[in-house]
Amino acid sequence: MNDRLKSLYQTVILTKAKDKKFVGQLESYTHSITAYNPLCGDKYELQIIVEDDVVKSLKYNGSGCSISKASTTVLCEKLEGCNAQQVLSGIAEFMEIVDSDASRNAEEITKNEELLAFAAAREFPERKSCADLSWKELQKQFNQLFPYHSKE
Amino acid sequence: MNIKSIKSEFPIFRQKTPAGTDLIYLDSASSTQKPQSVIDSITEFYSSHYANTGRASYWPATESTRQVEQVRKNVQQFIGAKSETEVVFTSGTTDSINKLANSIFNSDLWKGRQIIVSEMEHHANLVPWQIEAERHGLNLVAIPLLDSGELDLVAYKELLEKPTALVAITAISNVLGTINDVNKICRLAKAVGAITFVDAAQLAPYAGVNVEYLCCDFLSFSGHKLYGPTGIGVLYGKQDLLNQLPPFAFGGGMITEVDIEGSSFRDSPFRHEAGTLNIAGIIGLGAAIDFVEEVGFETIQSHEDELTIDLLNRLADIEGLKILGEQDRRGPLISFTIDGLHPHDLSTYLNESGICVRAGHHCAQPLMKKYQIPASTRVSFGVYNDMNDVEQFIKALKGAYEFFL
Ligand SMILES: Cc1ncc(COP(=O)(O)O)c(C=O)c1O
């Protein structure tokens, strides 16, 4: 199989796409976010519990390709337990990793292998919207989650 | 023109893809590639006799006007219309439907009646009607699908028992490939006095169009799906209806008299063609019609049918693969889903072998909801495809199974 494909569909992505750890419904939650790409139909509902300005728990359900699924799993993994500031910088970091126009190499941004796997999206611009689907929606809804947090 | 060597008429296939492979283009239902003759006709027009049409008495305006009107006549013959005044140039099927819907339902005259579409419509043949229905107090209803992927004509007859203003139906589904019995659907509509519109975007490149046979009042297709350029399409309408309808747009070229206090308008087709036309597009469309007529629809259809049947048979053997629709009559396209393999992952994988297929909801969300799937993969054929394309596709598909599953 060719190397380009291998780089996009690294074991990390294929494994995370099948990882069910964060798939499901929370009994109760403080926020629900729907990440939807109308062009391709990928759609996830993220259920989140925010308490004392900290993301206590997340789950998601919905359907989409392995890249959007893996990225949503990784989002849950990385942001669970984070406070507002950490969520904000986590999102910014991820967005930079998948951004083909970013000035830094992905390796300069993070050493985390699970995040680095998504850097392949830089080579597949048509798949960037899969990679950052849930992250982007979370970014949009950030103020809803953390109303008292100023981005400054 | 020999169908076996027809690929050589399409310059795009002479190059390699960025992946270093031959281009295996299996997305003609979205848009077709262009033969050299179409490309040349546009270059020739811009290089040799370009000028605006209809407004000037100098050469080259006389020549470009003559060519546009010649294409109009060719379109008239191509679709079997009675007169070239029944041929209105638009920018495509979507544009045609929006303009038509807006013009027919320009008042509350039809209030309380219904517009009938079907569950398999492309968004282009659904949303414009939906919006007009909302604006003018009509009810929009859809002919349901049977499990086979065909329309439930019994249910359709029942729908027709209510006062119906218009029936808008696609001739071939761009997702299921179903070929609808448009003649019957239109005759039934006509019997209750409803206006009929046929979306022939997928029909035109596969079987050509005959408005007499289809028995419709209005019909549209797009140039770019018929080996022609983008940005050009045709709206056919019965002459008396086109002349009664309020103009689709207002401006230059469509008026008879203009005063500051008011204006009067020309008859069809000029009535509905305000502003400068897509002249190069029209000329390219003319070349595209020449091209398909030279190949011949009998040849095109039997060639594409052969590929479709071959692919259907091969897909039937693949585990976990489900084909949408099991209808008897199918146009040159197949949509399917695979357990555990998302269409976008598949299409990215295939792209690395130079294979272009379409993944997604194909602008037919109500249909996808009916099948309870968020997306599917679609393979569709054009004249330039051959058995080797099918073989390469199947080979790569098997590779994807190994890679992902
Ligand atoms: C059945 C059908 N109707 C309408 C359209 C819209 O055509 P266009 O995008 O050329 O306006 C398409 C294109 O995909 C189609 O397949």
Side-chain angles (χ1 to χ4, degrees):
Chain A
M1 211 342 89
N2 87 27
D3 290 343
R4 248 166 65 83
L5 264 186
K6 269 197 193 141
S7 80
L8 180 64
Y9 292 107
Q10 290 177 38
T11 322
V12 171
I13 295 206
L14 294 180
T15 315
K16 292 289 168 198
K18 288 179 187 151
D19 190 339
K20 296 271 180 282
K21 195 163 61 188
F22 290 95
V23 176
Q25 314 270 348
L26 290 172
E27 250 167 52
S28 65
Y29 44 87
T30 55
H31 297 85
S32 156
I33 291 178
T34 302
Y36 175 50
N37 181 345
L39 290 178
C40 69
D42 285 11
K43 193 176 195 174
Y44 299 100
E45 189 212 1
L46 280 160
Q47 299 176 346
I48 306 174
I49 301 176
V50 180
E51 257 173 39
D52 306 328
D53 245 18
V54 169
V55 175
K56 281 270 150 50
S57 185
L58 308 91
K59 284 243 188 263
Y60 76 90
N61 51 75
S63 71
C65 64
S66 53
I67 296 172
S68 63
K69 223 180 244 169
S71 126
T72 308
T73 301
V74 169
L75 178 152
C76 295
E77 228 165 53
K78 296 294 166 223
L79 300 186
E80 197 171 45
C82 285
N83 64 25
Q85 190 52 49
Q86 289 164 327
V87 169
L88 208 53
S89 59
I91 294 172
E93 187 179 276
F94 186 86
M95 295 308 240
E96 194 181 351
I97 289 169
V98 296
D99 180 4
S100 58
D101 294 330
S103 54
R104 292 195 288 174
N105 285 331
E107 289 77 10
E108 297 170 52
I109 304 167
T110 180
K111 300 271 174 279
N112 185 302
E113 301 249 319
E114 287 172 359
L115 291 172
L116 277 176
F118 292 92
R122 292 185 177 196
E123 303 297 317
F124 291 80
E126 74 283 2
R127 301 305 298 274
K128 178 169 181 259
S129 59
C130 312
D132 67 11
L133 178 63
S134 297
W135 293 83
K136 221 168 153 177
E137 194 56 39
L138 184 66
Q139 186 175 43
K140 255 202 240 160
Q141 306 286 337
F142 179 83
N143 289 339
Q144 246 81 49
L145 264 65
F146 303 102
Y148 307 112
H149 186 87
S150 124
K151 287 191 189 180
E152 296 314 309
Chain B
M1 221 176 285
N2 188 340
I3 197 89
K4 294 264 182 302
S5 57
I6 212 155
K7 215 170 202 163
S8 64
E9 303 283 332
F10 292 79
I12 196 165
F13 294 114
R14 280 181 219 142
Q15 46 167 6
K16 298 287 179 197
T17 66
T21 67
D22 286 337
L23 175 65
I24 298 180
Y25 188 75
L26 297 173
D27 196 18
S28 293
S30 172
S31 200
T32 53
Q33 297 297 339
K34 315 306 168 199
Q36 192 66 54
S37 60
V38 168
I39 299 166
D40 287 349
S41 73
I42 296 167
T43 312
E44 146 94 2
F45 167 62
Y46 279 130
S47 352
S48 309
H49 40 82
Y50 177 77
N52 208 338
T53 55
R55 276 155 236 206
S57 51
Y58 55 78
W59 184 93
T62 47
E63 178 57 16
S64 64
T65 306
R66 189 193 67 75
Q67 289 202 7
V68 163
E69 291 316 312
Q70 185 58 49
V71 174
R72 206 189 294 277
K73 286 204 186 82
N74 294 354
V75 172
Q76 174 211 337
Q77 279 161 16
F78 175 66
I79 64 174
K82 286 208 179 75
S83 150
E84 68 262 25
T85 59
E86 300 186 320
V87 175
V88 177
F89 291 117
T90 64
S91 73
T93 306
T94 305
D95 185 43
S96 300
I97 301 173
N98 274 277
K99 285 176 165 162
L100 183 65
N102 199 273
S103 174
I104 292 178
F105 299 108
N106 70 324
S107 71
D108 288 346
L109 180 72
W110 305 94
K111 201 174 172 152
R113 299 198 185 205
Q114 62 182 5
I115 297 174
I116 301 182
V117 295
S118 86
E119 283 184 344
M120 63 165 79
E121 296 312 315
H122 187 282
H123 296 162
N125 195 30
L126 166 59
V127 184
W129 304 117
Q130 197 176 56
I131 296 297
E132 294 307 329
E134 281 170 16
R135 277 185 190 152
H136 298 293
L138 287 93
N139 198 15
L140 184 118
V141 294
I143 308 171
L145 267 180
L146 297 167
D147 289 339
S148 62
E150 290 158 316
L151 291 177
D152 183 347
L153 293 187
V154 176
Y156 171 53
K157 283 181 198 158
E158 280 165 23
L159 288 177
L160 281 175
E161 284 166 16
K162 293 220 181 102
T164 304
L166 179 137
V167 176
I169 198 84
T170 189
I172 298 184
S173 158
N174 65 313
V175 180
L176 302 170
T178 313
I179 302 178
N180 289 321
D181 190 345
V182 170
N183 169 283
K184 184 170 182 182
I185 292 169
C186 288
R187 276 188 296 114
L188 288 168
K190 206 152 284 184
V192 302
I195 304 169
T196 51
F197 169 79
V198 174
D199 175 351
Q202 297 295 339
L203 176 71
Y206 172 65
V209 167
N210 185 312
V211 293
E212 200 75 37
Y213 171 71
L214 295 172
C215 198
C216 56
D217 296 319
F218 296 98
L219 172 145
S220 184
F221 63 91
S222 299
H224 72 97
K225 291 186 202 274
L226 184 73
Y227 310 98
T230 53
I232 187 70
V234 165
L235 175 71
Y236 156 83
K238 290 228 171 88
Q239 192 174 359
D240 53 333
L241 295 175
L242 281 177
N243 283 335
Q244 283 166 31
L245 284 180
F248 295 164
F250 301 88
M254 50 78 66
I255 46 79
T256 48
E257 253 326 301
V258 176
D259 289 301
I260 294 299
E261 295 75 28
S263 305
S264 55
F265 310 116
R266 295 172 75 181
D267 276 347
S268 177
F270 308 110
R271 177 184 191 78
H272 299 298
E273 292 178 346
T276 296
L277 292 170
N278 178 0
I279 310 169
I282 293 170
I283 287 169
L285 175 65
I289 290 175
D290 290 346
F291 171 79
V292 288
E293 288 189 326
E294 198 180 324
V295 182
F297 277 109
E298 246 173 75
T299 308
I300 293 175
Q301 244 190 71
S302 66
H303 175 69
E304 293 178 1
D305 284 351
E306 203 180 321
L307 298 173
T308 308
I309 290 166
D310 185 59
L311 180 59
L312 274 174
N313 288 337
R314 288 172 189 238
L315 291 178
D317 296 337
I318 297 178
E319 215 185 287
L321 188 147
K322 193 168 161 294
I323 293 167
L324 300 189
E326 44 198 47
Q327 60 287 71
D328 296 333
R329 297 174 68 216
R330 177 190 280 277
L333 62 99
I334 303 172
S335 295
F336 59 87
T337 57
I338 296 171
D339 291 341
L341 177 46
H342 193 278
H344 282 108
D345 295 327
L346 177 59
S347 76
T348 293
Y349 182 93
L350 294 174
N351 177 50
E352 296 300 308
S353 309
I355 300 173
C356 316
V357 298
R358 190 62 178 277
H361 53 55
H362 316 294
C363 297
Q365 287 185 11
L367 180 68
M368 306 306 274
K369 284 173 191 160
K370 177 95 178 182
Y371 279 88
Q372 296 184 321
I373 48 174
S376 72
T377 307
R378 180 185 71 194
V379 172
S380 56
F381 296 114
V383 282
Y384 31 67
N385 292 119
D386 52 30
M387 283 298 176
N388 181 51
D389 295 343
V390 176
E391 252 152 54
Q392 295 304 317
F393 168 74
I394 292 288
K395 202 170 122 204
L397 182 64
K398 291 189 171 153
Y401 263 69
E402 274 174 35
F403 186 75
F404 289 106
L405 299 172

